[in-house]
Amino acid sequence: MRTTWTKLPLAVLCLLALALPVGAQTSAASGAIDGRVNDESGAPMAGVAVTIENVATGVARLAITDATGRYRAPLLPVGSYRVTAELQGFAKVQREGLRVGIGESISVGLTLKIAGVEETIVVTAEAPLLEASRTSQASAVSEKEVANLPVNGRNFIDFVLTTPGVVRDTRGGDISFAGQRGTLNSLVIDGADNNNTFFGQTLGRTGSGRAPYQFSQDAVQEFQVNRNAYSAEYGRAGGAVINVVTKSGTNDFHGSLFNFYRDDSLNANSYLNKINNRDKSTFHVDQYGGSLGGPLQKDKIFFFLSYDAQRQEIPNPVVLNLPSNLPNDAATQAGAALLRSKAGSYSLTRDQDVYLAKIDAQLNPAHRLSFRYNQQDFTGANNENSGATSALEHTGSSNVLTKTANLSLASVFGGSLFNEFRAQWAKDQEPGEANSNLPEVTVRQGGVTLLVFGRNFFSPRETTIDRWQAADTVSLAKGAHTFKAGFDINQDDIFNFFPGNFGGRYTFNSIASLGNGIPSGSGESYQQAFAGAGTSGPTTNPNLIEYALFAQDEWQLRDDLTLTLGLRYDLEKYDQPQVRNPDAQLAAAGIDTSSIPRDNNNIAPRLGLSWSPNAKTVVRGGYGLFYGRTPAIMVGTAHSGNGINVVTYTFTGSQVPKFPNVLTAPPTGAAAPKPSISVFANDYENPRVQQASLGFDRELTSDLAFAASFLYVRGDKLQRSRDSNIGTPVATQVPIQGGGSVTIQQFPIARPFANFDRIVFYESTAKSEYNGLTLELRKRFAGRFQGNLAYTLSKVEDTNPDATNVVLGGGDDARFPSNPVNFNVDRAPGNNDARHRLVFSGLWDLGYWQNTTGAAKALLDGWSLSWIASYQSGIPYSQRIANDVNRDGNRNNDLVPGQRNSERLPDFKNVDLRLSRRIAITGPWKLELIAEAFNLFDSTIINQQQGTLYNFTNSVLVPQTNLSNPRLNFGADQNAASERIVQLAAKITF
């Protein structure tokens, strides 16, 4: 057992943190107000008492202006504020209607006038539209947008797609910023790390087709997307940092009850059903819950509670296409009977419950404590596998249980020293269950798969992360400087169990062979894996601990010019593997399966500049170096993929057990196959990304602003997996059936390391380059309308990076470089290269008849309309060759030379619309009726086309054309995104 800092009492950690000079003026979960107080002549006024009061909670902060007339109020909870300035002999000045958003620092200047009698001057005006001192490129999604924009499935993270520079990653559940892979992003909720460090996604891996969301949409207040040149306080990301703040209670009781209803009777038919002449599939989803917030002690202690549930059932019809002319021999009939007994249809369920509880307490004028607990319980019955040829036995439940507990203490020590301490405990438990203990069986007839039944080859499985995190930030304001520094320690103890093929795996190429129970025909086999003696087998503990330090100076050179200078250090330490493969050839080549290099020099400078040439214009520029994480799935695979922990045998002939038997140990005398191993390259480093930006914001009216920026992002140490056990390729002319030939670099069949099959290095050799122009027109809510128009023109080119390519012999094989000795042949547009993207989102309050009476008011008052309309260029895909034409041992990574991502899916257009009406019930109680349509116009959004251009058969490339089924031809449409889905809802609020 490791002895770590997590064993220290929390109180000791708090004392240590408060004693260290670390922090930030505007933290990930709060905002700030600052400004200057002048007299009527414009001279700065010192000693003015400035009170910053949260309108909803009554909590007030007192700040005293310094010699330059400046006051500062950082670490403010998100919300609406009132700022009051007082000095004896002057009229009190009060500024109303100020809204502070997450990560936002707004400047509020005040002018005091001499007063003969006591008086108060009240100015009602919204906060400045532009953040003059912000140097980073960032966009915010407001509370009003989170609450009112349409989102299919209620996953609030999807609102990120309304901001510029963003597309949905080709890996399900991820978001891509600046063309980078989603594994390079970081999600921060209430200041705490909310990332699954094993899979490189968010905790719970929400949005990936199973668990729908980890936090209820009704519990999220707002969030900020930091997409370029962000503060040195943020790290462990080379893409974007998404800051989210959850709701808190106020002095008034507020709550909600809601139910969202989706059913196939309201929807259009799917693309696949249409092209196969099928009726609509059964579809039904209920999402319901509520929230309640209010005071436990007025002006001091507040609570917020929420509950959110989903109930969904998806039919999975199993279609057994037995040949009509089955022979009558006993073996065939026995096999057919067994297939019929296994081929019943079944349903998948995706049920979830999400709970949140939050307490905010103003302990005294100097200290505010916040505690939040969130729990997600997802049960995905029969989600481990599905499809028309996957039997009920071949699946199992995919479950997710996440728990997060977050504590923060914000402290104010006078007018110039501020501190925020944060601590988190989190657990992400993701077990996959098995519906059967029988071995997996794949049955084919005539080369066509009829049915797969028995235990899924990788189930039961489990990945669980236990996390402890502590971080502290402090800022010291001295004149024109705000100095910041901080630390962040994150420890993840990880349990990973992935027993691939340990339950046995039969392959039968005829029904008769199944009936006989012995895979003895051509291409038939039995596979089973065993744990190596004295090893942990398929169980690994790729624990990690991350350290981060940062320091930053925000320097106000002039009132119109801010310079930010920052430096950050990141260190990611992994537990080392326990087993070293003793092979002499490996040792001679310096390949050590028990060692993972540690990248100790991740020093990241940050530079930002903002200049306001006038009151309505801000120019921003910045440069930064950023380091991403190494997902622990790579580390865990290196722990077990050493050729000793797990040994997989393929049996034929007399050594094969008769179905349904499995082996308890390898047969005596069975020759161990040449294993494949996975190991980190000796020079492996964490991914490194450089970002540079230049842009400007322009206020067009008091509530309308335009922004334009250019972003350059370069990754030069990105992860990839590469098979190194290959020889020197030889340029070979491979003929094409019908005429012509293609030059293929073919590798020799003999492997340089004779005792191994594939030797896969995890390397940091992939590169990417992104150039993007973003334009944004943003109107905040005024005149009953709020809108955002975001356009991105961009290009990303890379050499096929991938941080989660770890499963050999499976679907991951398609992600290997097509030529493992020449990466430049794969230099092409990146997988997330969408040249054009345009998103128009908005909210329109149609309540023009609120002051009318009678029938007009009854029929027309209370309506609102909101929408998200998007257009995007098609993303690329490659011209592929089926089979191992280059002879590197991988049947799935072969491309037509020079044709990686040379093709494009069609452009797509989509409109999501929400129409709602609020009806007053009594007092503060209101009923809202909602109708939403996703893909309103039922557009066919093709998301997959046939990429196989050639089959490699008998040493000849055979074009994939002129087949009896045109949908199998190269370039033919294979699948489409969701059809039109209609959702109805009712929501009661007070």
Side-chain angles (χ1 to χ4, degrees):
M1 179 181 293
R2 296 185 296 171
T3 301
T4 70
W5 62 271
T6 59
K7 311 306 179 185
L8 293 173
L10 184 59
V12 176
L13 282 174
C14 291
L15 291 174
L16 288 173
L18 292 172
L20 291 172
V22 286
Q25 184 182 8
T26 302
S27 79
S30 64
I33 295 177
D34 62 17
R36 294 185 188 275
V37 180
N38 299 323
D39 63 19
E40 291 181 272
S41 70
M45 300 183 67
V48 178
V50 180
T51 303
I52 301 95
E53 181 185 3
N54 187 301
V55 176
T57 64
V59 175
R61 173 91 59 85
L62 177 64
I64 306 298
T65 59
D66 60 18
T68 67
R70 187 170 182 179
Y71 69 94
R72 298 175 176 89
L75 302 177
L76 295 175
V78 171
S80 296
Y81 283 84
R82 177 187 301 116
V83 176
T84 305
E86 296 180 81
L87 185 65
Q88 187 173 4
F90 292 83
K92 182 192 299 185
V93 174
Q94 196 171 84
R95 182 80 178 269
E96 304 271 6
L98 299 170
R99 172 74 189 176
V100 175
I102 183 172
E104 184 179 28
S105 180
I106 65 173
S107 180
V108 180
L110 301 167
T111 299
L112 293 186
K113 298 180 181 181
I114 296 176
V117 295
E118 185 175 343
E119 62 176 313
T120 299
I121 300 172
V122 179
V123 179
T124 302
E126 289 193 271
L129 194 58
L130 305 181
E131 284 185 80
S133 61
R134 175 169 56 82
T135 59
S136 65
Q137 300 291 337
S139 296
V141 180
S142 69
E143 180 180 7
K144 191 174 288 291
E145 290 171 300
V146 171
N148 292 285
L149 290 180
V151 58
N152 189 3
R154 291 176 53 78
N155 184 3
F156 73 93
I157 290 295
D158 285 349
F159 290 135
V160 173
L161 294 167
T162 65
T163 64
V166 183
V167 298
R168 197 177 293 279
D169 199 334
T170 53
R171 182 191 186 202
D174 289 358
I175 303 291
S176 170
F177 294 83
Q180 305 303 302
R181 298 298 175 89
T183 50
L184 288 174
N185 301 327
S186 178
L187 177 65
V188 178
I189 297 185
D190 292 330
D193 189 301
N194 202 70
N195 301 286
N196 182 301
T197 54
F198 186 85
F199 293 103
Q201 296 179 298
T202 62
L203 288 182
R205 293 193 292 160
T206 57
S208 57
R210 293 176 181 172
Y213 44 85
Q214 186 195 359
F215 284 78
S216 171
Q217 183 183 353
D218 273 39
V220 173
Q221 185 159 349
E222 60 183 69
F223 59 93
Q224 181 190 50
V225 182
N226 295 277
R227 61 181 180 272
N228 190 266
Y230 34 83
S231 164
E233 182 182 1
Y234 306 129
R236 299 167 184 158
V241 174
I242 305 170
N243 288 331
V244 180
V245 62
T246 57
K247 290 181 179 178
S248 296
T250 67
N251 273 333
D252 296 320
F253 286 98
H254 293 283
S256 66
L257 291 171
F258 59 85
N259 185 75
F260 288 79
Y261 170 89
R262 283 178 283 169
D263 191 81
D264 59 90
S265 61
L266 304 174
N267 301 342
N269 203 1
S270 70
Y271 170 80
L272 287 179
N273 282 341
K274 289 176 184 176
I275 63 176
N276 288 294
N277 297 314
R278 297 194 297 248
D279 293 334
K280 285 192 292 185
S281 303
T282 303
F283 176 85
H284 187 86
V285 184
D286 287 302
Q287 290 176 295
Y288 53 87
S291 64
L292 178 64
L296 293 175
Q297 182 179 347
K298 191 174 181 181
D299 295 344
K300 193 173 182 67
I301 305 175
F302 313 92
F303 76 94
F304 181 82
L305 305 170
S306 78
Y307 168 70
D308 195 311
Q310 171 181 287
R311 299 294 182 264
Q312 180 177 10
E313 185 170 342
I314 304 169
N316 188 89
V318 176
V319 181
L320 182 61
N321 290 318
L322 292 176
S324 58
N325 55 347
L326 274 180
N328 289 322
D329 61 282
T332 299
Q333 292 301 314
L338 181 58
L339 288 172
R340 292 188 185 99
S341 70
K342 305 285 188 180
S345 298
Y346 54 93
S347 293
L348 288 67
T349 63
R350 293 174 181 170
D351 297 343
Q352 176 166 284
D353 297 281
V354 175
Y355 313 86
L356 181 140
K358 188 175 183 181
I359 296 288
D360 296 276
Q362 192 69 36
L363 303 179
N364 55 47
H367 301 287
R368 186 184 76 253
L369 183 70
S370 180
F371 175 79
R372 186 258 299 151
Y373 176 81
N374 190 81
Q375 180 170 320
Q376 169 198 21
D377 295 335
F378 173 79
T379 302
N382 301 326
N383 277 256
E384 286 290 270
N385 231 308
S386 61
T389 60
S390 180
L392 177 61
E393 281 187 354
H394 192 239
T395 184
S397 291
S398 301
N399 299 329
V400 176
L401 174 61
T402 67
K403 301 176 182 179
T404 60
N406 185 33
L407 176 74
S408 68
L409 177 65
S411 302
V412 178
F413 303 102
S416 60
L417 184 62
F418 314 96
N419 190 89
E420 184 179 31
F421 172 76
R422 301 185 302 276
Q424 179 189 210
W425 169 79
K427 186 167 188 173
D428 186 342
Q429 187 174 9
E430 301 189 27
E433 300 174 354
N435 284 349
S436 173
N437 288 322
L438 294 174
E440 182 183 76
V441 179
T442 300
V443 183
R444 302 187 182 100
Q445 183 83 8
V448 177
T449 299
L450 298 179
L451 193 66
V452 185
F453 61 90
R455 167 179 156 183
N456 190 311
F457 81 96
F458 58 77
S459 298
R461 58 170 180 83
E462 182 180 345
T463 303
T464 295
I465 299 174
D466 278 292
R467 169 171 301 160
W468 291 95
Q469 181 186 12
D472 194 88
T473 59
V474 123
S475 65
L476 176 64
K478 286 294 184 182
H481 296 269
T482 300
F483 300 102
K484 312 172 188 178
F487 77 82
D488 187 341
I489 303 175
N490 188 77
Q491 177 181 308
D492 282 359
D493 292 328
I494 304 173
F495 170 79
N496 183 53
F497 176 63
F498 192 87
N501 289 320
F502 272 72
R505 195 176 193 182
Y506 285 88
T507 300
F508 296 104
N509 285 330
S510 72
I511 300 174
S513 289
L514 172 66
N516 288 322
I518 301 292
S520 56
S522 175
E524 298 183 341
S525 64
Y526 173 74
Q527 247 183 351
Q528 190 172 344
F530 300 90
T535 74
S536 61
T539 300
T540 61
N541 298 102
N543 304 320
L544 62 88
I545 185 168
E546 300 171 310
Y547 301 92
L549 298 171
F550 80 91
Q552 184 167 291
D553 178 18
E554 185 179 301
W555 183 7
Q556 193 85 32
L557 287 88
R558 304 194 308 252
D559 285 348
D560 63 348
L561 185 62
T562 302
L563 178 66
T564 301
L565 298 169
L567 192 66
R568 182 181 175 90
Y569 176 72
D570 282 291
L571 175 64
E572 183 179 9
K573 294 173 62 177
Y574 341 97
D575 279 8
Q576 295 292 312
Q578 300 300 306
V579 177
R580 178 170 183 170
N581 192 304
D583 181 82
Q585 236 186 328
L586 292 180
I591 300 174
D592 184 357
T593 62
S594 66
S595 175
I596 299 176
R598 181 181 299 166
D599 189 3
N600 296 317
N601 62 348
N602 292 340
I603 299 174
R606 310 280 171 86
L607 169 67
L609 182 72
S610 67
W611 171 50
S612 302
N614 56 60
K616 295 188 176 183
T617 306
V618 180
V619 178
R620 312 181 201 277
Y623 167 81
L625 197 60
F626 304 85
Y627 291 92
R629 282 180 162 121
T630 295
I633 192 171
M634 298 172 66
V635 179
T637 305
H639 276 228
S640 60
N642 47 40
I644 296 175
N645 267 51
V646 176
V647 182
T648 303
Y649 292 82
T650 300
F651 300 105
T652 57
S654 60
Q655 293 181 323
V656 176
K658 184 175 181 179
F659 174 79
N661 296 307
V662 298
L663 301 173
T664 57
T668 302
K674 292 181 179 181
S676 293
I677 64 173
S678 298
V679 62
F680 278 80
N682 291 331
D683 59 352
Y684 176 84
E685 298 180 72
N686 282 71
R688 183 176 72 178
V689 178
Q690 299 179 67
Q691 299 183 3
S693 64
L694 180 64
F696 74 94
D697 291 15
R698 174 70 179 178
E699 181 181 313
L700 303 179
T701 69
S702 61
D703 54 45
L704 182 65
F706 172 77
S709 63
F710 174 77
L711 279 67
Y712 175 76
V713 180
R714 183 174 185 267
D716 61 354
K717 293 183 179 180
L718 305 182
Q719 296 118 326
R720 75 160 94 246
S721 302
R722 178 180 69 90
D723 186 359
S724 65
N725 196 18
I726 51 176
T728 302
V730 176
T732 306
Q733 293 295 315
V734 179
I736 301 173
Q737 186 182 72
S741 64
V742 173
T743 301
I744 301 290
Q745 297 292 326
Q746 288 191 326
F747 294 91
I749 296 176
R751 297 268 184 173
F753 290 81
N755 295 329
F756 296 90
D757 184 11
R758 298 163 71 178
I759 298 178
V760 174
F761 277 141
Y762 295 146
E763 300 180 338
S764 49
T765 56
K767 299 179 180 181
S768 72
E769 188 170 59
Y770 172 91
N771 290 276
L773 172 68
T774 66
L775 306 175
E776 188 173 18
L777 188 65
R778 189 167 187 88
K779 183 184 183 303
R780 67 182 173 191
F781 192 79
R784 302 189 180 279
F785 178 77
Q786 174 176 327
N788 187 50
L789 181 66
Y791 170 71
T792 305
L793 171 65
S794 64
K795 178 182 179 180
V796 59
E797 188 174 81
D798 62 35
T799 58
N800 200 13
D802 200 298
T804 57
N805 182 4
V806 296
V807 181
L808 302 183
D812 286 358
D813 274 358
R815 307 208 299 263
F816 274 82
S818 63
N819 186 335
V821 300
N822 183 4
F823 300 139
N824 281 329
V825 301
D826 280 350
R827 183 177 294 277
N831 291 358
N832 296 313
D833 181 48
R835 296 295 168 87
H836 301 274
R837 180 169 172 82
L838 179 68
V839 183
F840 178 37
S841 59
L843 167 64
W844 186 12
D845 184 347
L846 302 174
Y848 296 103
W849 296 270
Q850 63 180 2
N851 295 322
T852 61
T853 59
K857 184 175 181 66
L859 293 174
L860 302 177
D861 185 35
W863 293 92
S864 66
L865 190 69
S866 62
W867 62 90
I868 301 176
S870 57
Y871 162 82
Q872 181 179 303
S873 300
I875 59 175
Y877 66 96
S878 305
Q879 294 182 4
R880 294 191 170 273
I881 299 173
N883 217 326
D884 189 15
V885 64
N886 70 350
R887 303 195 305 199
D888 67 347
N890 185 342
R891 299 169 57 89
N892 298 309
N893 70 328
D894 294 80
L895 306 180
V896 177
Q899 298 302 309
R900 175 180 175 249
N901 284 346
S902 59
E903 306 295 322
R904 292 271 173 175
L905 293 174
D907 299 352
F908 79 74
K909 298 179 286 293
N910 181 69
V911 176
D912 296 337
L913 188 70
R914 172 174 176 160
L915 179 66
S916 69
R917 189 183 183 200
R918 289 182 174 87
I919 303 170
I921 302 175
T922 181
W925 293 80
K926 292 182 176 63
L927 169 66
E928 183 178 13
L929 301 177
I930 302 169
E932 294 175 310
F934 309 105
N935 191 4
L936 174 66
F937 300 108
D938 197 27
S939 302
T940 302
I941 302 173
I942 298 298
N943 57 13
Q944 182 183 357
Q945 290 183 326
Q946 174 60 260
T948 301
L949 182 61
Y950 297 113
N951 292 290
F952 183 56
T953 306
N954 298 322
S955 300
V956 175
L957 295 175
V958 180
Q960 179 109 343
T961 55
N962 300 320
L963 302 175
S964 58
N965 185 353
R967 289 191 59 243
L968 299 179
N969 292 350
F970 176 76
D973 297 341
Q974 299 292 294
N975 205 350
S978 177
E979 65 279 9
R980 179 177 60 244
I981 294 177
V982 174
Q983 178 168 266
L984 303 178
K987 188 172 187 178
I988 295 175
T989 59
F990 64 90

